[in-house]
Structure formats: C-alpha cells, structure tokens
Amino acid sequence: MAGPRVEVDGSIMEGGGQILRVSTALSCLLGLPLRVQKIRAGRSTPGLSSGGWKSKIKVLTRPQHLSGLEMIRDLCDGQLEGAEIGSTEITFTPEKIKGGIHTADTKTAGSVCLLMQVSMPCVLFAASPSELHLKGGTNAEMAPQIDYTVMVFKPIVEKFGFIFNCDIKTRGYYPKGGGEVIVRMSPVKQLNPINLTDRGCVTKIYGRAFVAGVLPFKVAKDMAAAAVRCIRKEIRDLYVNIQPVQEPKDQAFGNGNGIIIIAETSTGCLFAGSSLGKRGVNADKVGIEAAEMLLANLRHGGTVDEYLQDQLIVFMALANGVSRIKTGPVTLHTQTAIHFAEQIAKAKFIVKKSEEEEDAAKDTYIIECQGIGMTNPNL
C-alpha cells in the first residue's frame, strides 16, 4: 500500500497543529508514509504541545495534537513514531481506513472540533460507517466552538455530497474539558465539487448566548443584549434573535459562558461571530466581540467567513472536479492548508482577486481548486 515517504517541514507558514492535521489526514487518505520535522519550531513551546491552536497557554496533561495523531493512526491501523509531548518529529505509515467505533480523548479542554476536522475526511473514505466518540473541550479557546461546527460548518461541508450526524452529549469548557460529542457518518464513493460564489443578501441573524455551571443566567442575557445592540447600529432592518441559554447541569461539565451569532443569506451562505467569556471579562464585552466579528465577516463580500475557509480546503482537494469559493482576505491557515494539499495530494489551487464589480472596493478573493477526484477503494 505504501508509496514513497512524503517529507513535510512543520515549521513553515502556520507552523503549528494545523500542519499536523492536514498532512496526517492526507497521508492517511492517500496511503502515503509521512515524516513531519521541525514541529512547531516557530512557537513559544516547540514540539508537540498540549495547547492546540496558536495557544501560548501551557495546557494540562495530554495534548490534542497527540490525540488527533493517535486517532488517525487508529482509524487506519497505521504506525506512528515520535508522537510524544515535546517531540519535534513524527513519522506515520498509514494502512487501510476502517469504519466502526473510534474514540479520541484529549484528556483536557483540547478541542473536539479539531479532532473532528482531522478525522472527518478520512472516515468518508473508510470501508464502512463510522462512529467517532470525541472527548475534550466543546467550547474552547483558539478553536471552532461545537456550535459553529453544527450551525455553519455542517450545512456547508455537506454540499460536497455527504451527511453526518453530530450528537453533543456533554459540553466541556476550558480548563477542565470533559465534553463529549458523537459523530456518525457513512462513507462515500467520491466527493462532489462545490461552487460558493454567490453571496446573496443577509436574510436572518440568530444565535445563542450560553452560561454553564455556576454562572448566573443574567450573564447570558447581558451577552445577548449587548450583541443585539451592536448589530443594530449597522443592520437596522432585520430582527436579531439571540437566545440566552442555561446549559442543563447534566449536559455540561464545569463552568463557562459564550455566544455565537449566525447570519444567513438568501443563497444559503452562513457567517458567524463568536466569543467565549473569561474570568474578569464582563458579559457585554463578550457579546460585542462576537457581534463585531460577525459584522467584519459580512463586510468583505465573501461567501464564507474567515474560519470556514481553511476547513473546506481538504474537501476541495479531494473532490471530483473544480470547486470555487469566494472569500475575504485569505488567512494563514488557509494558505497553509492549500500548500500541503498541493504538496501531498497534488491538487491544483488558484487564488485570485475577485473581478466582479460589487467586489471592486473590497478585499475579496476566489479560491479555485481542481480536485483529485479521490475514489473510495472500498465501495
């Protein structure tokens, strides 16, 4: 099964966990042995970390990077060497991707959404349906919140021609984690390309502001109200429906608060702004931060927000045909994902300034990809 070993420099571009996620997922899918060197060489703590995304916080015991790598290894019965905390080099030799039940546990508030990101493309090309039990933080700093995954990522990524079910059993917050999500999906023969270039106009704005644990419900109401006020200054003609929510005690582990706000357009595009509360930050500020993030994502004229960009790249690379998405400024995460999708999967990407009149004054781009037409050998 194994082809020639792919050599990846883990210090370039984003230079963190994302390189590991993209390169091991593609290695697993394509059956290519992989070596990643100089892992996180540019970071405050080089080597495999317990932190996760861009994290300067030395998080607790055992890292989400490791749990992500171990999960990919387990999905395909592969061999993984060098996967320990502080390691700056890993080698990975994949075997055949199998379905069934798989568990990954970050043992911390490491993000379950990042675990989902790394495993989802792989299980789409498994031999049988999969059930992924992902444990860690569901609403954690420096990673997508699970609400984003369900409310924005899911409906858009399903345009590639598959569906998945995401069952949030327990929510978990920084620093304890303790959340659990179960993802169920069936394999596909191939992925369809997508064309997301028509943004339409905003038709709905809605969201949820949550508190969990010991935090008073008033915090949720204050976050929601502050966010609504902020959005109204700029968008006056739409009803903004942000529900304050008290997470049920049996469905949340630890204490946390946060907010996510979604804007939906006439063509089905989805944009989000979100923020998590931290000790000593007042509720209004959390609400306003999420609202401002959403408004910024609506200004650039793209069809996806800055967080969805990089999450679509691997799927575009695997799809059978030409995909196009319109974006605002192309993020470093997206540039990194494109670089490794080209290096490892040999997909062809073109990123160019949007030439449409309505985008003339904006920082708007088209990312186009000729996918490799990956075919599931098991189906």
Side-chain angles (χ1 to χ4, degrees):
M1 161 139 192
R5 192 175 286 290
V6 176
E7 297 286 346
V8 163
D9 180 343
S11 68
I12 62 173
M13 304 179 85
E14 184 265 351
Q18 195 211 9
I19 294 179
L20 286 169
R21 283 194 294 281
V22 173
S23 58
T24 48
L26 290 171
S27 153
C28 173
L29 280 157
L30 298 161
L32 296 168
L34 172 75
R35 178 164 66 172
V36 185
Q37 296 176 285
K38 295 191 250 179
I39 294 169
R40 291 171 56 95
R43 295 307 182 83
S44 59
T45 46
L48 283 172
S49 84
S50 34
W53 248 27
K54 297 185 293 242
S55 175
K56 294 283 186 277
I57 315 162
K58 309 288 187 285
V59 185
L60 316 166
T61 52
R62 178 137 171 269
Q64 71 194 14
H65 292 157
L66 277 190
S67 36
L69 291 171
E70 287 165 353
M71 177 163 214
I72 296 280
R73 176 197 66 200
D74 296 344
L75 287 175
C76 71
D77 274 334
Q79 270 119 35
L80 179 63
E81 285 154 40
E84 54 260 349
I85 295 177
S87 169
T88 57
E89 178 177 323
I90 61 127
T91 59
F92 175 57
T93 311
E95 295 293 336
K96 186 176 159 178
I97 305 171
K98 54 189 204 310
I101 298 175
H102 298 279
T103 300
D105 188 349
T106 67
K107 307 279 199 297
T108 65
S111 168
V112 297
C113 302
L114 296 181
L115 290 175
M116 201 185 305
Q117 241 178 63
V118 68
S119 52
M120 188 175 286
C122 300
V123 296
L124 280 172
F125 291 90
S128 60
S130 300
E131 189 173 294
L132 309 174
H133 292 240
L134 309 175
K135 299 175 182 181
T138 58
N139 299 77
E141 277 297 346
M142 297 300 189
Q145 295 191 43
I146 192 66
D147 308 272
Y148 182 91
T149 301
V150 172
M151 295 163 84
V152 178
F153 172 76
K154 181 182 191 298
I156 303 296
V157 85
E158 287 179 342
K159 293 179 192 288
F160 286 101
F162 66 93
I163 49 175
F164 71 94
N165 177 276
C166 181
D167 181 8
I168 306 168
K169 288 279 181 221
T170 321
R171 289 169 178 271
Y173 312 98
Y174 181 81
K176 288 182 185 168
E180 182 179 8
V181 173
I182 298 176
V183 179
R184 296 180 184 88
M185 59 201 304
S186 291
V188 292
K189 185 73 191 163
Q190 279 194 318
L191 292 175
N192 305 326
I194 61 167
N195 188 355
L196 292 180
T197 50
D198 180 9
R199 187 182 120 138
C201 51
V202 177
T203 54
K204 280 188 201 160
I205 299 180
Y206 52 90
R208 75 193 299 271
F210 70 85
V211 289
V214 299
L215 291 159
F217 186 57
K218 181 181 185 310
V219 169
K221 291 194 285 197
D222 289 351
M223 288 188 294
V228 171
R229 284 195 301 273
C230 182
I231 292 166
R232 287 253 169 83
K233 286 183 194 149
E234 212 156 311
I235 301 174
R236 293 184 184 82
D237 50 351
L238 280 180
Y239 174 63
V240 180
N241 179 18
I242 304 175
Q243 294 288 324
V245 180
Q246 170 81 56
E247 303 291 8
K249 287 268 185 281
D250 57 342
Q251 288 164 36
F253 185 78
N255 307 312
N257 67 298
I259 180 170
I260 180 165
I261 319 164
I262 314 280
E264 195 173 311
T265 76
S266 52
T267 54
C269 298
L270 296 163
F271 301 85
S274 64
S275 182
L276 287 168
K278 295 183 203 55
R279 192 164 290 181
V281 177
N282 78 26
D284 286 27
K285 194 172 171 195
V286 179
I288 289 164
E289 184 176 64
E292 284 177 344
M293 184 191 290
L294 175 66
L295 293 169
N297 273 311
L298 290 174
R299 279 183 209 114
H300 59 52
T303 59
V304 297
D305 66 31
E306 60 184 312
Y307 299 103
L308 196 57
Q309 273 182 28
D310 66 285
Q311 297 184 56
L312 298 179
I313 296 301
V314 169
F315 297 95
M316 290 167 72
L318 298 171
N320 184 28
V322 177
S323 293
R324 285 183 195 87
I325 59 173
K326 190 193 264 195
T327 70
V330 179
T331 66
L332 182 56
H333 271 89
T334 298
Q335 291 167 33
T336 304
I338 288 172
H339 177 90
F340 291 103
E342 290 189 325
Q343 181 194 336
I344 301 170
K346 305 292 186 251
K348 296 275 181 287
F349 284 84
I350 299 169
V351 180
K352 53 180 194 274
K353 195 95 170 65
S354 170
E355 280 151 19
E356 289 179 46
E357 274 173 48
E358 76 238 37
D359 301 327
K362 295 178 178 159
D363 211 3
T364 313
Y365 297 83
I366 301 282
I367 301 176
E368 183 176 299
C369 173
Q370 173 67 58
I372 63 171
M374 173 88 186
T375 303
N376 191 331
N378 308 296
L379 296 187

